[in-house]
Amino acid sequence: MLILGIETSCDDTAVALVEDGMRIRAAGRLSQEKLHAKYGGIVPEVACRAHYETLLPIIENTCNQAGCALRDVDAIAVTNQPGLVGSLYIGLSTAKALAWALQKPLATVDHIEAHIYAAHMADPELDYPHVSVVVSGGHTDIFYSEGPLEHSLITRTLDDAAGECFDKVASLLGLGYPGGPAIQMTSLGGNADAVTYPRGDAGPEGLQISFSGLKTAVLNDLRKRGFVMEAQRNSGRMLTTPETPVPRSETRTLSVRLPLADIAASFQEAAVDILVRATLSSTRQTRCKSVALAGGVAANKRLREKMAAACKAQKNTRFTAAPINLCTDNAEMVAGLGFHKVITSQYAGLDADVLPNKIEKRLRAEVAGE
Amino acid sequence: MSLVILAIESSGDGGGAALMRDSTLLAEVNVPAPRTHGAQLLPCVDRALARAKLARNQVDVVAVNCGPGSYTGLRIGLATAQGIGHGLDRPVVGVPCFDAMVLQYLAQVSVPFKEGQEFWPVLDARRDEVMTARFVLRSGIADRQSEDQLLAPESLCDQAALRAVVFGTGLAAYPGRWDQSKVTAIGAELVLTPAFLGAAAWHKLSGVGTWQEIPRTPVQPRYFRHVTAKTIAERSGDPDSRDVTERAREREA
């Protein structure tokens, strides 16, 4: 069964053709990263305009790549939640119209569930139930997963998402956007034990996740080292010396005196530890024997490494991470999960709508062992 | 030779879908509530087709409002129209909003107008401005005399010919600012219907024999403003600084 997957929930326009939920026939993706870089973050209106212009051409290209026509597709799957409302509407409207015109079934897919499914695409033997960790620029959620479409929330970040924290710290360090790859790169060769940044309070069950304290600790550390923040609302922030604001071109030279690699590595270590701790607590609480890691931040090498080691150390818990190319937003995971919706006849109607803010089902008390 | 036109309108609060055979309306279905295009536009298309007793592949061309109008509304309409066109392998044509509005105004007002009469359809563009364009009646047809433009109500009144008719929902956005000694501000309740969008499309396509002759070019939405978000350089006056904190919250996975 060949499924066309469409993903436009944020700043990536992605299309994929996937067979039986596993075999990727073709995939196309256009990242808008460069469009948004000059704004220092994603501007929803810019994202919508770009999605509209690029989606149909990418669909056409992807079909050509796979050597098939749209009418050969058995069903269409599209992300309709959660995400930026205007962006979601481009994908959903296009998918609905194509499905209607071609008289094909349509399935709407949850973006977060699709991320989790990406781990299955790499590891078909990953069994249920398992603990799913979704870490990205917008989410840091841990789920108890009983099937490709059955997930209940165990815990999530109290404040910033992990990726958001990487972005903010990268910005403090003047490393640019997006912050994840920049921090990973800068941390190479750095000493992760150079600074002990706080890991935050894990709470009584070890499930509490918070990143705002970590971000503030890095900021305070920079201040202590003589680098203060020129913090103005609605203006760019940059590293400056206490007395006079220094233009960015000169801060670059100043930054050399900062042990950037050590700070980046130490921060990364702390962020990874927060995630690993909450994950291990979740497996203990649910007595799960396996863990799946997914989402954009799951591409971080140190996180994959440490999570794998920690799982192994804790009763040899099975660990699977989504393949790096399926960590960031993609349509393979949407087409893949869409297959499971289609085979269980969970079709979307012509009046399907977007759900920008989804509220997750919480973990049931009997699983939580209460 | 006749053309079956599927017209899609979602630029404002209302809208829906209409089917025309040339200038004859076969069916029209409007969205059940304001601003529900995201969910309800395609069901309108489906119902209109059923009411007209037509099959999907009997549609020859898809016409869609290409703006100006609500950005999200326009894009829902455009994405839907392009998706249908692509799926049915039929051309999609964009119809400028004001062309359809003038057509509807002239059809719905029973007063006869003189040759040379000026018309300015207006939509609210916020920030003290309306979106508009100038039309002049020539041989019974409203002829477009300007590109779409942004104007303050006062500038429009100054630019317009004496007794020019200014109409459309943009009037109500700026009450008391339409100088009635200069222009005739009337018809604030005019809401464009899918049928008149279809009629405007038919006008635009007159001279076309078959749908195969219609060029396949992607329809570009008419945005009336550039993206207003400030770049980092604009925010800080420093062309090379970077900041994500303000926008980070808008990020999703």
Side-chain angles (χ1 to χ4, degrees), chain A residues 9-27:
Chain A
S9 69
C10 191
D11 65 333
D12 288 302
T13 318
V15 175
L17 284 161
V18 176
E19 231 163 278
D20 297 334
M22 282 290 166
R23 208 166 74 80
I24 299 164
R25 284 270 300 268

Side-chain angles (χ1 to χ4, degrees), chain A residues 6 28 31 65 67 91 94 100 108 167 175 185 208 222 228 230 292 304 312 314 325 369:
Chain A
I6 296 174
S31 167
Q65 221 186 92
T94 306
W100 177 83
T108 51
D167 283 343
L175 298 177
M185 196 66 119
Q208 194 163 297
L222 292 175
V228 298
E230 244 346 90
R304 295 169 86 94
K312 198 164 193 310
Q314 181 171 278
N325 65 321

Side-chain angles (χ1 to χ4, degrees), chain B residues 31-220:
Chain B
V31 289
R35 290 177 189 263
T36 52
H37 308 111
Q40 297 301 332
L41 186 58
L42 196 61
C44 289
V45 171
D46 194 54
R47 257 173 255 144
L49 216 70
R51 276 189 208 167
K53 296 189 173 58
L54 289 174
R56 291 166 171 81
N57 61 10
Q58 286 177 288
V59 171
D60 292 320
V61 54
V62 185
V64 60
N65 188 334
C66 61
S70 143
Y71 288 174
T72 300
L74 282 177
R75 277 189 295 252
I76 289 169
L78 285 160
T80 303
Q82 299 268 42
I84 292 174
H86 199 85
L88 295 176
D89 194 23
R90 291 292 189 278
V92 181
V93 294
V95 178
C97 190
F98 295 136
D99 297 27
M101 279 175 73
V102 173
L103 206 64
Q104 180 170 343
Y105 183 79
L106 285 171
Q108 289 181 348
V109 177
S110 47
V111 195
F113 289 103
K114 286 200 194 93
E115 181 84 356
Q117 171 67 46
E118 247 187 46
F119 297 93
W120 296 74
V122 288
L123 293 172
D124 182 18
R126 303 217 179 100
R127 290 183 227 178
D128 262 4
E129 288 177 316
V130 289
M131 294 167 276
T132 186
R134 177 169 170 262
F135 291 82
V136 173
L137 200 64
R138 302 225 186 280
S139 323
I141 290 166
D143 193 26
R144 185 186 266 264
Q145 299 288 309
S146 83
E147 294 296 308
D148 295 346
Q149 50 192 306
L150 283 170
L151 286 176
E154 292 74 16
S155 335
L156 193 158
C157 293
D158 289 343
Q159 282 183 34
L162 195 66
R163 300 270 81 86
V165 171
V166 184
F167 68 96
T169 51
L171 286 179
Y174 305 105
R177 292 177 59 180
W178 306 100
D179 190 342
Q180 295 283 1
S181 70
K182 295 176 180 166
V183 299
T184 311
I186 192 166
E189 69 292 337
L190 184 131
V191 172
L192 181 60
T193 64
F196 278 100
L197 190 90
W202 181 74
H203 269 279
K204 194 181 153 123
L205 292 169
S206 62
V208 169
T210 63
W211 62 264
Q212 287 90 345
E213 295 169 24
I214 304 167
R216 305 284 184 106
T217 41
V219 180
Q220 292 304 323

Side-chain angles (χ1 to χ4, degrees), chain A residues 7 9-10 37-46 48-49 52-53 56 59-60 70 82-84 86 89-90 92-94 96-98 100-103 111-112 115 136-139 159-160 163-164 167-168 171 174-178 232-238 246-249 252 329 350-353 356-357, chain B residues 6 35-47 49 55-57 59 64 71-72 74-89 92 218-253:
Chain A
E7 156 65 42
S9 69
C10 191
K38 67 174 173 179
Y39 298 102
I42 291 159
V43 181
E45 179 61 22
V46 173
C48 295
R49 292 183 180 192
Y52 170 70
E53 277 168 31
L56 271 181
I59 291 176
E60 227 165 309
L70 262 184
L84 300 171
Y89 268 133
I90 305 296
L92 182 67
S93 302
T94 306
K96 276 167 65 170
L98 282 174
W100 177 83
L102 295 161
Q103 295 180 263
H111 182 79
I112 307 298
H115 267 304
S136 69
H139 303 270
D159 35 63
D160 294 351
E164 199 177 345
D167 283 343
K168 286 178 178 173
S171 156
L175 298 177
Y177 169 89
Q232 296 156 315
R233 275 258 156 256
N234 301 318
S235 78
R237 294 180 177 190
M238 53 183 181
V246 180
R248 163 74 189 169
S249 53
R252 218 183 266 287
D329 291 355
L350 294 181
D351 62 347
D353 207 349
N357 307 301
Chain B
L6 167 62
R35 290 177 189 263
T36 52
H37 308 111
Q40 297 301 332
L41 186 58
L42 196 61
C44 289
V45 171
D46 194 54
R47 257 173 255 144
L49 216 70
R56 291 166 171 81
N57 61 10
V59 171
V64 60
Y71 288 174
T72 300
L74 282 177
R75 277 189 295 252
I76 289 169
L78 285 160
T80 303
Q82 299 268 42
I84 292 174
H86 199 85
L88 295 176
D89 194 23
V92 181
V219 180
Q220 292 304 323
R222 297 184 170 203
Y223 298 117
F224 53 92
R225 284 190 207 279
H226 292 294
V227 171
T228 50
K230 285 195 168 68
T231 63
I232 302 160
E234 286 164 345
R235 271 180 276 151
S236 65
D238 173 3
D240 197 29
S241 71
R242 289 171 195 267
D243 174 84
V244 293
T245 45
E246 299 302 320
R247 293 280 161 195
R249 298 221 165 265
E250 294 176 13
R251 286 194 72 193
E252 293 291 340

